Amino acid sequence: AESEASTTPAVVLNPSIKKDVDKVVDTVLVSDLSKPLTAYCRCWRSGTFPLCDGSHAKHNKATGDNVGPLLVKK
Ligand code: FES
């Protein structure tokens, strides 16, 4: 049976972040978190990646998408 994923055209999610590496991976030590709440980008548009800078709002408005950050609470 054909899966639903195979009917969706493949797209590039990351337009500009660290395009010189094969895979963008970021590691955060929980013990290094200084604020009670930290927002991490999941839209790949942040100018402060991997942190969220609010760029998802512009992306969502322009595309009708609904992406937003991962909030990590200390
Ligand atoms: Fe990417 Fe907020 S800027 S999720």
Side-chain angles (χ1 to χ4, degrees):
E2 193 170 292
S3 73
E4 188 174 324
S6 70
T7 63
T8 303
V11 296
V12 173
L13 298 177
N14 175 15
S16 60
I17 296 167
K18 298 180 187 173
K19 297 303 278 188
D20 57 323
V21 300
D22 290 337
K23 179 169 62 177
V24 180
V25 177
D26 296 290
T27 301
V28 175
L29 288 176
V30 172
S31 56
D32 285 349
L33 294 175
S34 55
K35 298 181 295 181
L37 186 69
T38 305
Y40 290 94
C41 177
R42 296 193 295 184
C43 77
W44 293 90
R45 267 74 184 169
S46 176
T48 58
F49 196 90
L51 297 175
C52 169
D53 70 354
S55 294
H56 58 265
K58 182 180 172 188
H59 166 78
N60 286 344
K61 190 172 184 185
T63 63
D65 210 344
N66 66 346
V67 295
L70 166 69
L71 300 179
V72 176
K73 291 182 178 179
K74 192 176 181 183

